[in-house]
Amino acid sequence: QVTLRESGPAVVKPTQTLTLTCTFSGFSLNTARMCVSWVRQPPGKALEWLALIDGDDDKLYSTSLKTRLTISKGTSKDQVVLSMTDMDPMDTATYFCAKTHSSGWLEQWGQGTLVIVSS
Amino acid sequence: EIVLTQSPGTLSLPPGERATLSCRASQSLSSSYIAWYQQKPGQAPRLLMYTASTRATGIPDRFSGSGSGTDFTLTISRLEPEDFAVYYCQQYHNSFTFGGGTKVEIK
């Protein structure tokens, strides 16, 4: 059974760097066929794809947020980490990680974690 | 960047009716690289369809997808109470983008 869980701070201050961890089970991120994506959703708004990493450590980023995002494998083999710099109140959102098929659809999602950017 | 436009923004229908949701891409998507998701309040999205017309595991056959090129459709043949939710399309032809969503509400 595939499960994913996001963790990180619930509140960050403007200009700070946000670091989120996705801890997963039921699959291994050890081949190019295995991928994990991050997606966010501001309150009441649509989904926005952020970044993807595959088992070969290849990465893909949203064009509009590329300069602020870093996705990486965690220190544990069952973790993926997303960092976003220079946080702004507009970045307030629920952040999801998702197991992503190598072709591109997001097969299984975590429950999401709400991050509020406020001073 | 490929932009996906979903219509209508809101669809008000009674249970038992047929729902037709549209997703239009700003450029042609080869191999119908479109997926559809359902999201209920307070929950994560759930994968419904991929490659435009393939149902994900466990998705009932009242859900169907069609289309090619720039125009794609998600159809729910007979709305059940649990189908009232927000639906998103997503393209994976060139990077990834989501549409703005269609809310299917009870009339």
Side-chain angles (χ1 to χ4, degrees):
Chain A
Q1 180 189 4
V2 171
T3 65
L4 304 99
R5 186 183 75 253
E6 305 85 353
S7 59
V11 181
V12 297
K13 289 180 166 52
T15 76
Q16 287 187 333
T17 294
L18 170 68
T19 300
L20 296 172
T21 300
C22 175
T23 302
F24 56 85
S25 64
F27 67 98
S28 296
L29 194 60
N30 58 3
T31 72
R33 293 178 57 83
M34 293 298 178
C35 310
V36 171
S37 292
W38 284 94
V39 174
R40 71 178 179 178
Q41 184 173 39
K45 296 191 176 181
L47 302 167
E48 180 183 18
W49 178 81
L50 300 176
L52 173 144
I53 188 168
D54 71 15
D56 281 354
D57 214 33
D58 289 324
K59 302 158 188 176
L60 190 63
Y61 294 102
S62 162
T63 302
S64 61
L65 292 168
K66 184 174 187 175
T67 60
R68 298 174 55 205
L69 293 172
T70 302
I71 191 170
S72 62
K73 294 181 182 179
T75 53
S76 172
K77 62 179 173 61
D78 60 353
Q79 292 185 330
V80 169
V81 177
L82 181 75
S83 295
M84 180 180 290
T85 62
D86 195 24
M87 292 293 285
D88 181 271
M90 294 286 287
D91 296 314
T92 293
T94 297
Y95 288 74
F96 299 95
C97 62
K99 179 179 182 287
T100 304
H101 190 276
S102 57
S103 293
W105 57 86
L106 282 65
E107 299 177 297
Q108 188 72 33
W109 297 61
Q111 64 188 16
T113 185
L114 175 62
V115 178
I116 296 171
V117 184
S118 173
S119 54
Chain B
E1 178 180 290
I2 297 176
V3 176
L4 298 179
T5 302
Q6 292 189 243
S7 61
T10 302
L11 194 54
S12 299
L13 293 168
E17 287 291 293
R18 181 185 188 91
T20 302
L21 287 67
S22 173
C23 177
R24 176 163 290 177
S26 59
Q27 59 185 266
S28 183
L29 307 182
S30 65
S31 302
S32 299
Y33 283 164
I34 277 279
W36 290 91
Y37 303 85
Q38 177 194 67
Q39 187 179 32
K40 298 179 180 179
Q43 296 184 15
R46 177 175 72 144
L47 176 67
L48 295 176
M49 314 286 300
Y50 56 92
T51 55
S53 61
T54 303
R55 276 188 298 276
T57 302
I59 302 303
D61 60 7
R62 64 179 181 273
F63 290 90
S64 63
S66 63
S68 63
T70 60
D71 292 303
F72 298 88
T73 300
L74 177 70
T75 302
I76 310 171
S77 59
R78 290 178 55 86
L79 283 165
E80 297 287 342
E82 61 268 28
D83 299 336
F84 292 93
V86 180
Y87 293 83
Y88 294 97
C89 58
Q90 175 230 340
Q91 68 81 21
Y92 45 95
H93 167 78
N94 182 347
S95 190
F96 302 79
T97 48
F98 287 92
T102 291
K103 181 180 182 179
V104 179
E105 64 176 24
I106 299 175
K107 184 173 182 179

